[in-house]
Amino acid sequence: MNRVFQNLPGLPEKIKALKDLIITNIVLLGQIPSPTFGEKRRVAFFMDRLAEFPVDECTRDGYGNPIGIIRGTSEGLPPIFLVAHLDTAFKEAADFYYMVDKKYIAGPGLIDNTVSAGVLLSIPMLLQRLKWRPASDIILAGVVQSIGKGNLLGLRHLLKTWSTPIRGAICLEGVELGRLNYYSEGMNRIEIFCRIGRNPVQNLDHRPNAIIILNETIDRLLHIRLPQKPHSRIILGKIAGGHKHGESANEARLGLEIRSDSDEMVRELRSEVRALVADIAQRYKVDLKVKTISDIHGAGLAYNHPLVKSTVEVMKQLNLKPIREPSESELSLFLSNNIPAVTLGLTRGENPHMENARIEIEPLFTGIAQVLGVLAAIDSGVCDEKRVA
Amino acid sequence: MKSAWLEKNTFHHSAFKDIERLVGEKERRSLRISVCLPTLNEEQTIAKEILIIKSELMLRHPLVDEIVVVDSGSEDHTREIAEEYGARVFQAEEILPHLETFRGKGENLWKALYITTGDIIVYLDADIKNIHHRFVYGLLGPLLLFDTLKFSKAFYDRPITDKNNIRRPTGGGRVTELMVRPLFSMFFPELTQILQPLSGEYAGFREVFEAIPFPIGYGVETAMILDIYRRWGLDVMAQVDLDRRVHRNQNIHALGKMAFVILKTFCSRLEKLKLVNFSQETFDEMIQYTLVKNRFQPETQPMKGLERPPMLEIPEYREKFHPV
């Protein structure tokens, strides 16, 4: 194990010496609006910044993912990926001007996932300051079209077209410090959309109401029997509809996720949802449709996989208590491609998906130390024997 | 009126993005550069300004030598935050404390001359929400790369005609377009080429700033342009397009007060130059009205239009910067 791994408790202080540069990367990046499918300006900035700091190679793949490569000392080893998505859930119109004070940084998209992308940009400088050049090439990948309807398209393309084996990967997320994701459930994210067509024969007062149709749909969804094994859930996450208080709703949409330890069970439940939606559409004679937005296969590392054990050890040395839970983000793509990977949270924060998202500055240095510790572990070979379970 | 100056002395910040080249020029000419941020209750934006300037133009490229905050007595955490992020922080009243104390942006800028060490001083407002280091290197570029230029001023929002030559407004604010530009047009038409004379971001050589008086309040930008123009001419000035600037908006009452002070400053310059002769003394109070419970209520604000003399006239300053 290399010296970075051995000196972990003192690492946050060393990283803190670069506080100004790290926060500047986060703020300058975060102030460029980057809605999913509209990441062009942020990608350009990310590329320029990688080139400035500098990395040994800087490129953009065929899909537009910006990638920086820090060449390792050993030519024969596969590369290690560090990944953060560049898109945020906020449109161009949001107030993207971040606020910084003594303890906090605040602004839209900060937690998901600008802080991670800013940290990714700071990695070359951190390695330089620590005088550490890993044996493997380090691939710094800011991926596009990741969240929501992006459905991880950027990373899907990157992994599909990457020509060499990948030694291991770390996915960076803004919060919470201590988060340790090493498995992902099977997941199907769907949207149910109800539209009431104009029927000249029907009186306005007798036309169906899209909200009531969705209400009926929710009632039926709640009656679906969910097995405890494999552990399966239907999560109703988003709902919207109607235009005015005094007017029957013409349109309404419901967003939900089906999750299960078993991909087979996800497929079964999705069929059941589609069937009940078709039934309601027929019964009420309305346009009620199901659209799959994202489909992710379950995969994972065993709890005793050397990468998981090493990550727990890194966390222990930094006084972090691991919070083990599944994740459906970039992690699932690495795992389903048989690449050992973990997702780590960088700091503590609040209001993750709101315009006033806020992170604490001080814990960020521990979060970065944790990433470097796990990177050192992968570089020392913990992923080289056992692949994904 | 010729517009040769506008064509020759107007730049875009991107012309100076090669920061290492600027650093090279700075070193070749053995110059020191100070950035000064005048503040009053700027806790929302001050950390970010300091962080980005320090990170990009001190740590990564040694272009700036110091960041100085001169505060007018903020009641929020402005000074504490500025110190935390590594600026040198002063309260205006603690600088040259034996002088009578005034409160205003111009006062802070003037006093900054005494406590900064730079041969070039960059003044930036502290309320810029979209701060980027281009605000600093953009203003420094003309001064470092052109020997004849002594003062550079910002303008924003690409007010020049676009590629298709479609006419667009110059992007000046309400006070500029309704008052300053008409006044320039009447008395100093050449100065209308300065697209945003009231912009709060400018840079210049110490030898310029120390030789001109500073109004203590809002009139400082107008006075600076008029005084530099009178003494050195337009050709020592440049203007730089810094793209977009986002800051908090002022309401019409605040703009009215700003206009009053600027007008007063302008009139005093006109009188000194014997361009006008007022037959009676003007008053020193701005009177505005508000509607309170259906009654018009006057609000009177004393605004004397005080000015500090050129810093060169202050003995302590001469002793510090020009010892015999």
Side-chain angles (χ1 to χ4, degrees):
Chain A
M1 204 67 68
N2 73 39
R3 64 188 167 79
V4 173
F5 196 76
Q6 286 159 2
N7 298 323
L8 272 175
L11 196 51
E13 273 308 306
K14 287 184 186 165
I15 294 168
K16 197 177 172 182
L18 296 175
K19 173 182 171 181
D20 296 328
L21 294 158
I22 296 167
I23 299 177
T24 296
N25 275 339
I26 295 167
V27 171
L28 288 178
L29 191 73
Q31 295 192 157
I32 303 168
S34 189
T36 308
F37 303 108
E39 303 101 330
K40 207 172 160 187
R41 279 176 55 211
R42 193 176 282 202
V43 166
F45 177 82
F46 193 89
M47 288 280 289
D48 288 348
R49 207 72 180 159
L50 279 176
E52 279 174 27
F53 263 96
V55 290
D56 298 310
E57 274 179 50
C58 190
T59 183
R60 203 179 303 189
D61 74 353
Y63 205 76
N65 298 298
I67 295 159
I69 303 173
I70 301 169
R71 287 283 171 218
T73 54
S74 174
E75 276 189 19
L77 289 169
I80 302 169
F81 271 56
L82 292 181
V83 176
H85 65 81
L86 294 182
D87 51 339
T88 73
F90 294 89
K91 293 182 179 161
E92 292 260 352
D95 182 348
F96 274 86
Y97 304 112
Y98 281 21
M99 201 277 288
V100 182
D101 67 12
K102 276 172 81 172
K103 290 185 179 168
Y104 302 100
I105 309 173
L110 179 61
I111 289 177
D112 192 15
N113 197 19
T114 301
V115 60
S116 307
V119 166
L120 206 59
L121 281 177
S122 310
I123 295 288
M125 184 176 66
L126 285 162
L127 297 186
Q128 214 168 49
R129 182 60 68 98
L130 295 170
K131 297 188 172 67
W132 174 38
R133 189 170 271 265
S136 276
D137 289 354
I138 305 298
I139 310 297
L140 306 171
V143 290
V144 298
Q145 296 176 21
S146 201
I147 58 177
K149 290 180 180 171
N151 191 18
L152 304 172
L153 283 172
L155 186 59
R156 278 179 209 275
H157 182 276
L158 180 59
L159 293 182
K160 202 169 149 188
T161 53
W162 193 264
S163 57
T164 67
I166 293 169
R167 204 175 181 195
I170 306 171
C171 307
L172 309 186
E173 289 285 345
V175 294
E176 274 289 316
L177 187 57
R179 155 188 191 164
L180 170 55
N181 308 132
Y182 55 91
Y183 59 98
S184 55
E185 297 172 308
M187 188 274 282
N188 190 234
R189 181 177 297 151
I190 59 185
E191 196 165 82
I192 301 173
F193 180 58
C194 178
R195 176 182 285 145
I196 310 297
R198 287 183 181 276
N199 184 343
V201 182
Q202 271 178 330
N203 183 306
L204 270 181
D205 292 337
H206 296 94
R207 275 170 58 188
N209 183 321
I211 291 173
I212 293 172
I213 300 293
L214 279 194
N215 186 52
E216 173 69 13
T217 310
I218 291 169
D219 274 350
R220 297 271 299 271
L221 287 169
L222 295 177
H223 277 90
I224 293 177
R225 286 180 178 275
L226 299 168
Q228 287 195 29
K229 197 170 175 65
H231 179 56
S232 306
R233 296 170 288 163
I234 294 179
I235 301 165
L236 306 179
K238 276 172 83 173
I239 190 161
H243 299 289
K244 287 166 81 175
H245 289 71
E247 198 173 282
S248 184
N250 278 328
E251 290 182 358
R253 61 182 72 226
L254 172 69
L256 60 96
E257 283 184 2
I258 301 164
R259 294 190 194 182
S260 175
D261 294 344
S262 150
D263 287 347
E264 182 57 35
M265 182 51 66
V266 172
R267 277 193 289 277
E268 272 180 36
L269 289 169
R270 182 176 55 198
S271 300
E272 201 164 334
V273 170
R274 282 185 181 278
L276 78 82
V277 165
D279 181 50
I280 293 170
Q282 176 65 26
R283 185 172 300 186
Y284 292 93
K285 303 210 174 352
V286 292
D287 184 9
L288 188 64
K289 289 198 170 107
V290 178
K291 186 179 171 194
T292 293
I293 291 174
S294 177
D295 197 8
I296 285 170
H297 298 296
L301 301 177
Y303 74 97
N304 60 353
H305 187 282
L307 176 57
V308 179
K309 282 164 72 180
S310 302
T311 305
V312 171
E313 179 57 28
V314 165
M315 289 183 162
K316 205 169 129 191
Q317 286 200 46
L318 291 165
N319 285 324
L320 298 173
K321 198 174 168 194
I323 306 158
R324 298 161 193 256
E325 52 189 22
S327 166
E328 282 70 46
S329 61
E330 287 77 11
L331 175 74
S332 58
L333 290 188
F334 284 108
L335 295 175
S336 57
N337 279 284
N338 202 25
I339 300 162
V342 288
T343 296
L344 302 173
L346 288 170
T347 183
R348 291 191 287 266
E350 52 191 44
N351 310 326
H353 300 113
M354 304 190 36
E355 287 207 11
N356 61 347
R358 188 168 87 152
I359 60 156
E360 289 181 42
I361 293 170
E362 195 62 31
L364 183 61
F365 309 116
T366 304
I368 297 171
Q370 157 205 234
V371 172
L372 295 179
V374 176
L375 181 64
I378 299 174
D379 197 48
S380 69
V382 297
C383 297
D384 293 353
E385 286 177 22
K386 283 192 179 178
R387 307 301 289 179
V388 179
Chain B
M1 188 207 68
K2 289 179 191 170
S3 58
W5 180 88
L6 182 68
E7 279 156 32
K8 194 173 135 223
N9 288 22
T10 302
F11 303 92
H12 187 263
H13 67 82
S14 57
F16 310 113
K17 70 178 178 190
D18 182 354
I19 301 171
E20 277 308 308
R21 186 178 171 213
L22 302 184
V23 172
E25 273 307 302
K26 174 199 159 189
E27 283 167 0
R28 187 183 69 76
R29 292 164 69 177
S30 301
L31 296 170
R32 272 184 71 79
I33 295 174
S34 306
V35 171
C36 170
L37 309 171
T39 56
L40 177 63
N41 298 326
E42 309 288 5
E43 67 178 4
Q44 295 289 317
T45 44
I46 189 70
K48 214 165 69 171
E49 289 207 20
I50 295 169
L51 257 171
I52 290 175
I53 296 166
K54 187 175 156 200
S55 156
E56 301 304 296
L57 302 178
M58 292 175 81
L59 301 175
R60 293 188 60 214
H61 305 281
L63 184 64
V64 169
D65 296 290
E66 63 176 352
I67 301 172
V68 173
V69 167
V70 183
D71 186 68
S72 298
S74 292
E75 287 163 0
D76 62 7
H77 296 99
T78 301
R79 291 192 299 276
E80 198 184 325
I81 293 172
E83 262 165 14
E84 167 77 17
Y85 285 100
R88 293 174 62 213
V89 180
F90 298 85
Q91 291 220 55
E93 61 188 24
E94 291 166 354
I95 304 167
L96 299 166
H98 61 288
L99 299 177
E100 190 183 351
T101 302
F102 298 117
R103 198 166 154 165
K105 179 185 169 185
E107 172 81 349
N108 293 11
L109 304 184
W110 183 74
K111 286 194 165 172
L113 292 172
Y114 184 69
I115 43 98
T116 50
T117 58
D119 304 293
I120 295 177
I121 298 150
V122 183
Y123 290 118
L124 293 187
D125 278 351
D127 65 343
I128 307 170
K129 288 173 85 178
N130 63 328
I131 185 69
H132 184 277
H133 45 296
R134 69 172 185 271
F135 283 80
V136 176
Y137 71 70
L139 289 168
L140 285 170
L143 305 183
L144 290 170
L145 300 185
F146 298 88
D147 289 339
T148 52
L149 296 174
K150 301 286 178 202
F151 175 77
S152 60
K153 187 150 188 80
F155 69 97
Y156 303 97
D157 272 338
R158 294 183 179 279
I160 311 281
T161 53
D162 68 7
K163 272 188 282 188
N164 302 321
N165 244 6
I166 297 166
R167 289 173 74 85
R168 291 180 52 194
T170 61
R174 284 168 284 179
V175 179
T176 296
E177 297 304 325
L178 298 176
M179 194 182 69
V180 178
R181 192 171 303 288
L183 285 170
F184 278 175
S185 303
M186 285 167 71
F187 295 98
F188 309 102
E190 256 196 332
L191 291 180
T192 56
Q193 296 173 90
I194 300 175
L195 296 171
Q196 289 172 18
L198 298 185
S199 70
E201 287 69 44
Y202 31 89
F205 279 86
R206 177 175 290 277
E207 69 201 60
V208 171
F209 291 136
E210 69 184 5
I212 55 174
F214 276 59
I216 62 164
Y218 286 127
V220 66
E221 281 86 15
T222 316
M224 203 175 270
I225 288 174
L226 291 172
D227 293 339
I228 294 173
Y229 175 63
R230 267 175 46 217
R231 185 152 175 184
W232 291 278
L234 194 56
D235 285 339
V236 302
M237 297 194 234
Q239 60 185 348
V240 187
D241 182 347
L242 297 182
D243 284 348
R244 199 157 170 252
R245 182 195 195 281
V246 181
H247 60 107
R248 57 170 182 249
N249 257 333
Q250 303 225 50
N251 64 34
I252 197 73
H253 264 225
L255 293 180
K257 286 175 193 146
M258 184 196 285
F260 182 94
V261 178
I262 292 169
L263 191 56
K264 207 159 174 56
T265 305
F266 204 94
C267 290
S268 81
R269 295 295 186 280
L270 291 179
E271 273 198 304
K272 270 186 207 163
L273 292 170
K274 299 192 170 35
L275 288 172
V276 293
N277 185 14
F278 292 110
S279 59
Q280 68 165 70
E281 272 202 36
T282 56
F283 295 96
D284 290 334
E285 286 180 338
M286 172 72 172
I287 307 161
Q288 294 170 304
Y289 289 85
T290 45
L291 195 59
V292 182
K293 291 181 182 168
N294 281 332
R295 296 188 61 158
F296 289 105
Q297 212 167 67
E299 280 175 16
T300 305
Q301 176 99 23
M303 302 180 108
K304 287 192 174 165
L306 295 169
E307 290 192 13
R308 289 294 195 182
M311 190 51 106
L312 265 179
E313 293 176 17
I314 305 296
E316 290 87 344
Y317 180 85
R318 281 203 307 275
E319 202 174 301
K320 187 172 173 186
F321 287 91
H322 302 285
V324 179

